[in-house]
Amino acid sequence: MSPSFIAYSALGLAILFEITGTTFLMKSVQFTKLIPTVIMGLCYLCSFFFLAQALKVVPLGIAYAMWGGLGIVLTAIIGVVVFRQSLDVPALAGIGLIVSGVVVLNLFSHSTTH
């Protein structure tokens, strides 16, 4: 397997653990429920571990933009689907801009490693 594939797989896992941790942050009810709080902490630890692995190959700015951007978008979707939260037009426009930024980074930037 190529180092690039491994790095982007690690970044994908970092994103998944980050959105899972954020979901359990909501379920922890401001750290008043032990089990969701512990799961949240473990997910964040795993997220940072895999983000660090991705940084062996992917530049920091690119990795962090993808980790943060996709984390925001996916967490917003979870908020709508799981927690029945609503998004207004400006929120949807902002999310669209985040997705556009990640797409531009990956398709047009020579800073990324593919």
Side-chain angles (χ1 to χ4, degrees):
M1 270 186 258
S2 75
S4 183
F5 176 79
I6 293 169
Y8 279 96
S9 296
L11 184 56
L13 287 170
I15 293 166
L16 288 175
F17 277 111
E18 190 266 332
I19 62 172
T20 303
T22 303
T23 301
F24 277 95
L25 177 61
M26 182 76 172
K27 295 243 182 227
S28 77
V29 190
Q30 294 79 40
F31 307 118
T32 60
K33 296 189 177 188
L34 180 62
I35 300 300
T37 300
V38 169
I39 293 170
M40 175 213 63
L42 291 173
C43 286
Y44 282 149
L45 283 172
C46 290
S47 178
F48 282 115
F49 171 80
F50 285 113
L51 180 60
Q53 300 311 303
L55 292 177
K56 292 177 181 177
V57 175
V58 183
L60 174 64
I62 303 300
Y64 194 76
M66 292 177 66
W67 180 77
L70 292 174
I72 290 167
V73 171
L74 295 171
T75 301
I77 292 168
I78 290 170
V80 169
V81 173
V82 175
F83 299 112
R84 304 288 187 235
Q85 298 170 343
S86 61
L87 298 172
D88 58 10
V89 172
L92 292 172
I95 289 170
L97 289 170
I98 292 168
V99 170
S100 299
V102 171
V103 169
V104 167
L105 277 173
N106 282 287
L107 293 181
F108 303 110
S109 175
H110 296 291
S111 298
T112 60
T113 55
H114 294 285

